[in-house]
Amino acid sequence: MWKSRAPLSLKFFAWLVAKNRCWTADRLRRRGLQHPPRCPLCDQEQETIEHLIIGCVVSRAIWHEVLDEWHMQSWMPIPDMDLIDWWMMQRTPSSQRRDSWSVVILVMWCIWTHRNDVVFNGASVSASGTVRKIREEIELWRRAMILRSELFRTAALEPARWHEGE
């Protein structure tokens, strides 16, 4: 994660995720603090950082959409898999590795910020809105030369044409 091109604040967030230090319901419960009974996005299971990032049906819809656009369907997270194990098993050419790690961190960050918007601001759960935010951020990162791979350029600029196979 530290070798990605993501901004430092997002690298730090990814480190917190890896260390299970994000304030999800399971962490609040362990500290005896008030917490929601279930995941605020899917309302189906207890919220843990692994559930939120790769197991939640809403998060899985987000991952499916963005990975499908980038023709990286093999990266689709397995719901019960350990987050770090999932991350470490991803293989990508060395020329695209830093960009790939960066966008994985971005997707995780966007899922987390969407969760926080739902919890703290009463926003509606929206996988499509989160995917739109990811696309917009990728375009900004591309313009800032954070992302250099052509793989993410096409997806960010022309998502409709990408699906049509042009």
Side-chain angles (χ1 to χ4, degrees), residues 52-75:
L52 182 69
I53 299 296
I54 64 174
C56 175
V57 294
V58 175
S59 299
R60 293 184 59 69
I62 294 166
W63 283 110
H64 182 312
E65 183 72 27
V66 296
L67 293 174
D68 191 50
E69 283 183 6
W70 302 325
H71 298 286
M72 296 170 67
Q73 296 90 342
S74 64
W75 281 41

Side-chain angles (χ1 to χ4, degrees), residues 44-102:
Q44 294 178 1
E45 294 184 33
Q46 181 181 337
E47 182 191 44
T48 65
I49 195 62
E50 288 184 350
H51 168 76
L52 182 69
I53 299 296
I54 64 174
C56 175
V57 294
V58 175
S59 299
R60 293 184 59 69
I62 294 166
W63 283 110
H64 182 312
E65 183 72 27
V66 296
L67 293 174
D68 191 50
E69 283 183 6
W70 302 325
H71 298 286
M72 296 170 67
Q73 296 90 342
S74 64
W75 281 41
M76 189 65 190
I78 300 167
D80 294 328
M81 182 173 236
D82 179 76
L83 185 61
I84 302 304
D85 290 344
W86 168 73
W87 181 304
M88 297 307 293
M89 70 182 272
Q90 305 312 322
R91 300 290 179 241
T92 185
S94 59
S95 62
Q96 296 176 347
R97 191 166 296 138
R98 293 178 79 189
D99 282 352
S100 298
W101 289 341
S102 299

Side-chain angles (χ1 to χ4, degrees), residues 14-164:
W15 179 79
L16 290 173
V17 168
K19 297 292 186 180
N20 195 20
R21 296 290 190 260
C22 296
W23 286 98
T24 53
D26 67 321
R27 188 168 169 85
L28 294 170
R29 181 180 34 79
R30 286 192 309 253
R31 301 281 192 274
L33 300 171
Q34 185 180 10
H35 62 280
R38 291 188 291 265
C39 173
L41 298 184
C42 70
D43 196 32
Q44 294 178 1
E45 294 184 33
Q46 181 181 337
E47 182 191 44
T48 65
I49 195 62
E50 288 184 350
H51 168 76
L52 182 69
I53 299 296
I54 64 174
C56 175
V57 294
V58 175
S59 299
R60 293 184 59 69
I62 294 166
W63 283 110
H64 182 312
E65 183 72 27
V66 296
L67 293 174
D68 191 50
E69 283 183 6
W70 302 325
H71 298 286
M72 296 170 67
Q73 296 90 342
S74 64
W75 281 41
M76 189 65 190
I78 300 167
D80 294 328
M81 182 173 236
D82 179 76
L83 185 61
I84 302 304
D85 290 344
W86 168 73
W87 181 304
M88 297 307 293
M89 70 182 272
Q90 305 312 322
R91 300 290 179 241
T92 185
S94 59
S95 62
Q96 296 176 347
R97 191 166 296 138
R98 293 178 79 189
D99 282 352
S100 298
W101 289 341
S102 299
V103 297
V104 165
I105 291 171
L106 174 63
V107 173
M108 292 190 317
W109 173 252
C110 288
I111 291 169
W112 177 252
T113 57
H114 179 59
R115 175 257 188 214
N116 288 341
D117 200 29
V118 168
V119 169
F120 298 113
N121 300 327
S124 298
V125 175
S126 174
S128 61
T130 305
V131 169
R132 187 172 41 258
K133 181 179 176 183
I134 292 166
R135 288 178 183 142
E136 291 168 0
E137 196 66 25
I138 283 176
E139 177 60 17
L140 293 173
W141 284 20
R142 192 188 64 71
R143 288 181 184 175
M145 297 300 293
I146 294 171
L147 295 179
R148 299 175 185 156
S149 173
E150 293 294 320
L151 175 66
F152 305 108
R153 176 183 304 253
T154 305
L157 291 175
E158 303 170 337
R161 289 181 57 201
W162 190 266
H163 286 294
E164 294 169 8

